[in-house]
């Protein structure tokens, strides 16, 4: 605990999901500490994407690009105060000051993340063929 290895493993699991073109969510129920770790990772991933994205981005796009399930993206945006509801549909609220404030707070915290450039993954189908 407190070394960041849990978030590193969370990061790895989402990178694998993205590599496989899938979105994921942790197995429920989560422990209190597990939930804290996932929420921290989700906040970091969602805010980093919003900050790097030019223009508007949908919740589905955030989900696809981060590998985080739509429901978990919505929970994260709610906790960050960056979600709105219009005609029964959720949308990302772009409040530049709020986003900058949240992002600057994230930059000050150190989070161990997987360096995707140093990760070697092969598609599951390819591995199955090699095992036969």
């Amino acid at each position: 605990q407190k070394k960041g290895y849990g978030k590193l493993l969370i990061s790895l699991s989402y990178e694998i999901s993205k590599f496989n073109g899938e979105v994921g969510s942790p197995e429920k129920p989560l422990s209190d500490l597990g939930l804290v770790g996932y929420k921290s990772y989700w906040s970091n991933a969602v805010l980093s994407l919003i900050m790097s994205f030019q223009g508007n981005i949908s919740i589905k796009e955030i989900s696809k690009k981060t590998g985080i399930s739509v429901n978990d993206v919505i929970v994260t945006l709610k906790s960050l105060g960056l979600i709105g509801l219009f005609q029964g549909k959720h949308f990302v609220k772009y409040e530049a000051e709020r986003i900058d404030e949240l992002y600057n707070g994230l930059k000050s915290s150190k989070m161990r993340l997987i360096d995707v450039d140093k990760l070697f993954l092969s598609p599951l189908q390819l591995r199955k063929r090699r095992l036969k």
Side-chain angles (χ1 to χ4, degrees):
Q1 290 179 348
K2 307 251 183 206
K3 300 260 187 207
Y5 295 119
K7 290 178 193 160
L8 181 72
L9 292 174
I10 291 169
S11 172
L12 176 62
S13 72
Y14 280 106
E15 290 303 331
I16 292 170
S17 292
K18 287 191 296 187
F19 177 80
N20 289 325
E22 301 170 351
V23 295
S25 186
E27 192 172 311
K28 313 286 190 302
L30 279 172
S31 68
D32 292 342
L33 280 175
L35 183 59
V36 168
Y38 272 94
K39 283 185 173 182
S40 176
Y41 174 80
W42 294 336
S43 295
N44 188 313
V46 169
L47 277 172
S48 295
L49 180 63
I50 289 172
M51 288 296 291
S52 68
F53 204 79
Q54 300 295 320
N56 293 340
I57 186 169
S58 71
I59 291 170
K60 283 185 182 178
E61 285 176 294
I62 293 172
S63 175
K64 185 177 179 180
K65 290 183 181 299
T66 61
I68 301 170
S69 75
V70 169
N71 287 336
D72 293 337
V73 170
I74 290 170
V75 165
T76 302
L77 290 170
K78 279 182 183 176
S79 75
L80 297 171
L82 297 176
I83 197 162
L85 190 63
F86 181 72
Q87 296 181 346
K89 294 192 177 190
H90 290 100
F91 66 93
V92 179
K93 286 194 317 190
Y94 292 92
E95 297 173 355
E97 267 185 45
R98 175 80 177 137
I99 292 170
D100 286 342
E101 175 188 321
L102 290 166
Y103 188 71
N104 289 333
L106 268 182
K107 285 194 310 188
S108 66
S109 68
K110 302 220 186 239
M111 184 179 294
R112 294 175 190 252
L113 298 174
I114 292 294
D115 184 347
V116 184
D117 295 329
K118 295 181 179 153
L119 188 62
F120 177 76
L121 295 171
S122 63
L124 183 60
Q125 295 169 347
L126 181 61
R127 285 182 292 192
K128 284 182 180 177
R129 280 190 224 133
R130 287 182 185 160
L131 292 175
K132 288 183 181 182

